């Protein structure tokens, strides 16, 4: 069997045979239920067109103002880059760099690399740096937070309506369109492009390629069953290629993916220890993140300190309970839930527990999904600080709580990335059980 026909479940490690799917079908792992891949990937023409449209909208969103405020003859507006610049000048360089990376740099890397690779494949060749670029797409996708930023923009606008007249600007509509386009772009699986590149090379052994958009075999319904026991594969988490474990790690060496060059591991090295270390750091920083002010308001009426809790209370008492609930869930409930869930996963895996492995795997996927949404409060602070610049009338600056909270979000995201969910299933596999 060609190893391109094999696929390993990211969450539990079970090896499967890859089979064609109808356009709207999904292949799920027979053990943990995770989605392995989706059927009939979109054509290269469609990927290139949508990605190009997203890049154009992305540029408009960055260089045009998002909103403009008017109060007592004063006007102020802000772009995303301008808001980041304000944070930088207020000695919040760490927060400014994180906002820059999550909202501009990583989305730009994903879109640029994806368009470059797709256009090259359409032209019938693998571009220079093909594998590195697709690895960059995968990594950038984990940290891009455009959809979270869009919700933060809407919350900021509603908050500003009580202070001044809000005038929407082109950047607002561009970010709305960008969020929708990126939702479609994220649905494109980079592993499908790796397979397209492999087919291209196989069809042109002498180096002369053929169009990668050649029609694939017609999909046919199949059952997805795991291969026989006793197989010890090493799956590349970047490109998905399955290789045989040659025992390099036991000899103090590294085994690399034959396709993309990524380092292969049977299990993530020191996964539980690193997860505990990151969780401990996040738990310690969570205390000042909630006790210290995240914003300072200087106005004609004096100085006011705002914490995360006071922001929730503000929206609740000002007649916006829905927004208060969103901020409370994203900034308070989600971080605590992530800390508790990751601690549970690390503890049970460390003890070799066979307790409800399928449910713990679902919990891990949920933690991965909601991790980025805790940055919502940071994005609201960023835009608010940039917009409220009315000289002697009112000025809002960021506080130390914002720095601590930003660190909590990053550390919990890193902790979820360091945790290897396959550790949940190792005790089950040793005992010969299929599920619990």
């Amino acid at each position: 069997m060609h190893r391109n026909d094999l696929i390993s479940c990211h969450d539990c490690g079970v090896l499967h045979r890859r089979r064609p799917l109808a356009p709207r079908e999904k292949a799920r792992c027979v053990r943990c239920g995770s989605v392995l891949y989706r059927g009939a990937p979109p054509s290269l023409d469609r990927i290139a067109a949508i990605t190009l449209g997203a890049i154009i909208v992305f540029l408009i969103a960055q260089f045009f103002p998002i909103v403009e405020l008017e109060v007592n003859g004063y006007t102020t507006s802000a772009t995303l880059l301008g808001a980041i610049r304000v944070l930088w000048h207020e000695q919040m360089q760490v927060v400014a760099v994180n906002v820059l990376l999550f909202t501009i740099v990583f989305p730009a890397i994903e879109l640029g690399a994806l368009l470059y690779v797709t256009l090259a494949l359409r032209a019938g060749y693998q571009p220079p740096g093909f594998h590195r670029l697709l690895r960059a797409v995968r990594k950038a996708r984990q940290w891009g937070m455009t959809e979270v930023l869009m919700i933060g923009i809407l919350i900021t606008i509603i908050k500003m309506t009580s202070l001044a007249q809000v005038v929407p600007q082109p950047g607002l509509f561009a970010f709305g369109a960008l969020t929708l386009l990126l939702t479609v772009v994220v649905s494109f699986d980079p592993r499908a492009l790796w397979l397209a590149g492999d087919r291209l090379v196989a069809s042109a052994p002498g180096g002369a390629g053929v169009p990668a958009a050649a029609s694939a075999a017609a999909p046919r319904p199949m059952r997805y069953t795991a291969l026989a026991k006793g197989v010890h594969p090493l799956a590349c988490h970047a490109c998905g290629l399955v290789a045989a474990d040659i025992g390099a790690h036991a000899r103090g060496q590294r085994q690399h993916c034959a396709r993309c060059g990524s380092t292969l591991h049977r299990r993530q090295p020191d996964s539980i220890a690193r997860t505990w270390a990151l969780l401990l750091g996040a738990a310690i920083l969570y205390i000042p993140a909630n006790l210290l002010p995240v914003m300072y308001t200087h106005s004609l009426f004096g100085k006011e300190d705002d914490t995360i809790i006071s922001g929730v209370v503000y929206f609740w008492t000002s007649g916006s309970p829905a927004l208060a609930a969103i901020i409370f869930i994203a900034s308070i409930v989600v971080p605590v839930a992530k800390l508790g869930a990751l601690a549970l996963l690390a503890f049970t895996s460390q003890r070799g527990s066979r307790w409800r492995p399928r449910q713990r795997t679902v919990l891990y996927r949920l933690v991965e999904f909601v991790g980025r949404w805790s940055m919502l409060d940071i994005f609201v602070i960023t835009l608010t600080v940039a917009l409220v610049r009315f000289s002697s009338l009112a000025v809002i600056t960021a506080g130390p709580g914002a720095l601590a909270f930003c660190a909590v979000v990053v550390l919990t995201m890193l902790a979820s990335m360091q945790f290897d969910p396959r550790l949940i299933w190792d005790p089950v596999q040793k005992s010969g059980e299929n599920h619990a």
Side-chain angles (χ1 to χ4, degrees):
M1 181 183 299
H2 194 279
R3 54 183 169 181
N4 278 356
D5 296 330
L6 302 178
I7 185 168
S8 178
C9 177
H10 174 276
D11 291 341
C12 71
V14 167
L15 199 64
H16 298 75
R17 285 186 175 95
R18 183 189 293 272
R19 289 291 186 268
L21 288 175
R24 296 187 180 181
E25 287 183 333
K26 298 177 183 177
R28 291 186 178 273
C29 176
V30 295
R31 182 160 71 173
C32 71
S34 300
V35 175
L36 300 173
Y37 60 96
R38 303 174 190 275
S43 66
L44 294 175
D45 289 337
R46 182 167 179 256
I47 296 176
I50 294 177
T51 305
L52 179 59
I55 289 175
I56 294 172
V57 175
F58 175 83
L59 294 175
I60 296 173
Q62 304 309 321
F63 294 105
F64 282 84
I66 300 172
V67 291
E68 181 181 86
L69 299 186
E70 297 180 2
V71 56
N72 295 335
Y74 290 93
T75 61
T76 180
S77 62
T79 62
L80 180 57
L81 285 169
I84 294 171
R85 192 181 304 113
V86 170
L87 280 179
W88 182 274
H89 291 313
E90 290 186 353
Q91 309 306 314
M92 285 288 170
Q93 288 88 350
V94 174
V95 179
V97 168
N98 277 277
V99 175
L100 176 69
L101 291 174
F102 299 153
T103 61
I104 298 179
V105 175
F106 289 128
I109 291 174
E110 178 183 357
L111 293 173
L114 190 60
L115 180 65
Y116 177 69
V117 168
T118 305
L119 291 178
L121 292 178
R122 284 184 71 254
Y125 68 95
Q126 278 193 12
F130 174 74
H131 301 299
R132 289 189 181 91
L133 289 170
L134 286 181
R135 285 166 58 186
V137 169
R138 176 180 170 272
K139 287 293 184 182
R141 185 170 289 182
Q142 292 178 311
W143 292 97
M145 301 183 187
T146 302
E147 71 280 12
V148 184
L149 174 64
M150 187 63 214
I151 300 298
I153 291 173
L154 296 178
I155 291 176
T156 305
I157 290 174
I158 295 174
K159 182 178 181 180
M160 292 296 104
T161 54
S162 63
L163 303 176
Q165 182 181 355
V166 178
V167 182
Q169 297 295 309
L172 173 62
F173 304 104
F175 270 113
L178 178 62
T179 302
L180 296 176
L181 288 173
L182 279 177
T183 302
V184 180
V185 170
V186 169
S187 68
F188 302 149
D189 189 351
R191 288 177 295 185
L193 297 179
W194 259 302
L195 292 175
D198 286 347
R199 290 195 297 268
L200 196 64
V201 172
S203 64
V210 297
S215 59
R220 49 197 174 92
M222 289 263 183
R223 285 183 60 84
Y224 290 81
T225 57
L227 294 183
K229 295 181 180 180
V231 177
H232 299 288
L234 279 180
C236 177
H237 277 198
C239 70
L241 186 68
V242 176
D245 187 355
I246 62 176
H249 183 70
R251 301 191 300 269
Q253 301 173 349
R254 291 184 178 182
Q255 183 174 346
H256 296 277
C257 176
R259 178 159 62 187
C260 72
S262 299
T263 303
L264 302 180
H265 302 287
R266 183 163 177 80
R267 295 294 180 264
Q268 185 86 351
D270 302 320
S271 171
I272 294 179
R274 294 180 182 183
T275 301
W276 277 122
L278 291 166
L279 284 179
L280 180 60
I284 293 173
L285 288 171
Y286 184 74
I287 298 173
N290 283 274
L291 296 180
L292 295 177
V294 294
M295 289 189 299
Y296 297 113
T297 302
H298 304 267
S299 66
L300 296 175
F301 303 100
K303 180 181 176 182
E304 183 179 351
D305 300 342
D306 292 315
T307 62
I308 294 175
I309 292 294
S310 67
V312 174
V313 173
Y314 168 82
F315 279 109
W316 185 270
T317 57
S318 61
S320 301
L323 292 180
I326 291 174
I327 295 177
F328 179 76
I329 292 173
S331 302
I332 297 177
V333 175
V334 169
V336 173
K338 284 193 300 182
L339 290 172
L342 286 171
L344 174 66
L345 293 174
F347 177 75
T348 52
S349 299
Q350 190 174 20
R351 296 290 300 272
S353 172
R354 296 193 298 271
W355 173 70
R356 297 185 179 274
R358 192 181 181 105
Q359 287 78 3
R360 283 189 286 150
T361 303
V362 173
L363 178 62
Y364 170 76
R365 292 200 294 266
L366 183 61
V367 168
E368 270 198 320
F369 174 77
V370 303
R372 66 185 63 201
W373 285 95
S374 297
M375 280 295 291
L376 181 63
D377 224 15
I378 298 298
F379 294 150
V380 172
I381 293 168
T382 301
L383 294 170
T384 302
V385 167
L387 284 170
V388 183
R389 296 272 145 180
F390 295 114
S391 184
S392 59
L393 290 180
V395 174
I396 294 180
T397 58
L403 177 60
F405 189 78
C406 184
V408 170
V409 177
V410 173
L411 289 175
T412 52
M413 289 185 67
L414 288 172
S416 66
M417 294 176 187
Q418 287 297 319
F419 180 77
D420 193 334
R422 293 172 296 182
L423 296 172
I424 297 173
W425 292 92
D426 284 347
V428 178
Q429 186 171 345
K430 290 177 182 178
S431 67
E433 299 176 26
N434 289 324
H435 57 81

